[in-house]
Each structure stands twice: as structure tokens, then as C-alpha cells.
Amino acid sequence: MPAPNPPEGRFVLGESTAPIVAFAGGSGITPVISLLKTVLVGTKRAVKLVYANQDRDAIIFREELDVLAEREPDRMPSPGSSAGSQPSLMSRAGD
């Protein structure tokens, strides 16, 4: 059996002022939450997050995501909100 491939690619912020659009599901939010915090603290960029889970109770970092959205309502929509046709912070299956 061949050895698995190691992780590849770069998961870093580039120099830009363009909004960030992030997609995550379940535990895939782990690297994304760090990126979101960095964007909201160190830049003026807006953030759009679509985060899918089995149900509301399965949302990892829920409290942290709520706090980020409350601190930066113009840059990161709050859970369940919709800013025009922008995606909401979390897309939940089963709710």
C-alpha cells in the first residue's frame, strides 16, 4: 500500500483588500477560525462564512463565531442573518 501524501498548499492570507469568502463543514472550521480572527483583527476586509453542520448542537466554536459577528457586524454577518443576498454566517442542515 502506498504511503499517504502529506498536506499540500498554502493556507495564508494574501495581500489584498478583497472580502474573504470561507466555506467549512464540521471540524473543518478549525483552520478557518484562525484565519477569520486574523482578518478581523489585522485588516479591514469583510468576511463571509458558510459553515455546514449536522445540527445546531454540532457547531464547533459557536460562541467564538457569535462574538466575532457581534464585534464586527458590518464586516461579518451574525448567525442566521442575511445582508442582502450575502450568505449567512452559518448554513445549518437539520434545523
Side-chain angles (χ1 to χ4, degrees):
M1 175 182 216
N5 293 330
E8 293 183 31
R10 293 174 13 136
F11 197 72
V12 297
L13 285 173
E15 295 294 325
S16 176
T17 58
I20 300 288
V21 179
F23 296 89
S27 62
I29 191 68
T30 304
V32 174
I33 190 92
S34 178
L35 182 70
L36 297 178
K37 289 178 183 179
T38 300
V39 167
L40 293 172
V41 170
T43 76
K44 302 256 185 233
R45 296 166 82 170
V47 172
K48 306 297 181 208
L49 172 63
V50 178
Y51 178 29
N53 285 281
Q54 291 285 328
D55 57 45
R56 191 173 181 84
D57 293 334
I59 298 172
I60 301 170
F61 298 118
R62 177 163 185 76
E63 289 179 17
E64 285 185 68
L65 290 167
D66 287 343
V67 168
L68 290 173
E70 288 171 16
R71 284 188 195 155
E72 298 288 348
D74 295 334
R75 293 173 54 207
M76 184 171 171
S78 63
S81 76
S82 63
S85 62
Q86 301 300 322
S88 65
L89 173 65
M90 296 174 199
S91 176
R92 298 179 202 101
D95 271 358

